Amino acid sequence: MILKADGENLAHAAALACELWPHNTQDGLLAELEALSRAEGAVFLAVEDGVPAGFAQCQLRHDYVEGTESSPVGYLEGIYVREEYRGRGLAKALLSACEGWAGEHGCTEFASDCELDNGGSIAFHLGAGFTEANRIVCFTKRLGEEA
């Protein structure tokens, strides 16, 4: 079952988000998900046998999104299904909920991204009908330090 997350369900989504992004705190992610839900975004929760099994978060992006021609663009910010629940179609159902939400908000395009070395995510995206728009390597540099 896919639910639009709010209230207590957002806390479940934040706990799942910590599994996806372990360098964050659950409280910090909960605050981000709450803010996203109040603004131009949505969080969806997959529940299997009464257990939170996965989540997806999406939002509207009004700035340029690689490979798109319209604005706003629905954007998949994160998607995660616990390993023991994979292979049951939950990620596809979560993505479908996000795409439906974006369409309801006037989007004609939907986009996402992942790290270059995340083969599982790349396979998921390609299998879900996405096409690769670009590959980039990002760089940073601290100012005032010798190279």
Side-chain angles (χ1 to χ4, degrees), residues 20-92:
L20 177 61
W21 300 303
H23 58 279
N24 290 283
T25 66
Q26 186 169 338
D27 287 342
L29 287 168
L30 178 57
E32 284 184 33
L33 294 179
E34 286 172 339
L36 177 72
S37 295
R38 285 190 302 270
E40 292 188 305
V43 179
F44 294 93
L45 186 67
V47 178
E48 190 84 359
D49 301 322
V51 177
F55 86 102
Q57 67 181 90
C58 58
Q59 71 178 47
L60 302 180
R61 288 201 178 179
H62 298 276
D63 54 335
Y64 174 71
V65 174
E66 288 285 337
T68 65
E69 300 173 354
S70 62
S71 182
V73 172
Y75 205 88
L76 182 66
E77 299 292 346
I79 188 165
Y80 173 76
V81 174
R82 285 187 168 138
E83 192 169 340
E84 62 267 30
Y85 293 99
R86 293 179 187 165
R88 301 181 188 189
L90 294 178
K92 184 177 180 181

Side-chain angles (χ1 to χ4, degrees), residues 5-28:
D6 56 12
E8 182 180 322
N9 287 336
L10 274 176
H12 293 305
L16 289 161
C18 276
E19 294 177 27
L20 177 61
W21 300 303
H23 58 279
N24 290 283
T25 66
Q26 186 169 338
D27 287 342

Side-chain angles (χ1 to χ4, degrees), residues 112-145:
S112 183
D113 63 49
C114 72
E115 298 290 329
L116 289 173
D117 63 351
N118 191 339
S121 183
I122 291 169
F124 166 75
H125 283 85
L126 293 174
F130 286 92
T131 57
E132 188 174 312
N134 195 12
R135 287 191 176 220
I136 63 170
V137 176
C138 300
F139 298 94
T140 64
K141 180 180 182 179
R142 293 206 181 271
L143 297 177
E145 294 181 8

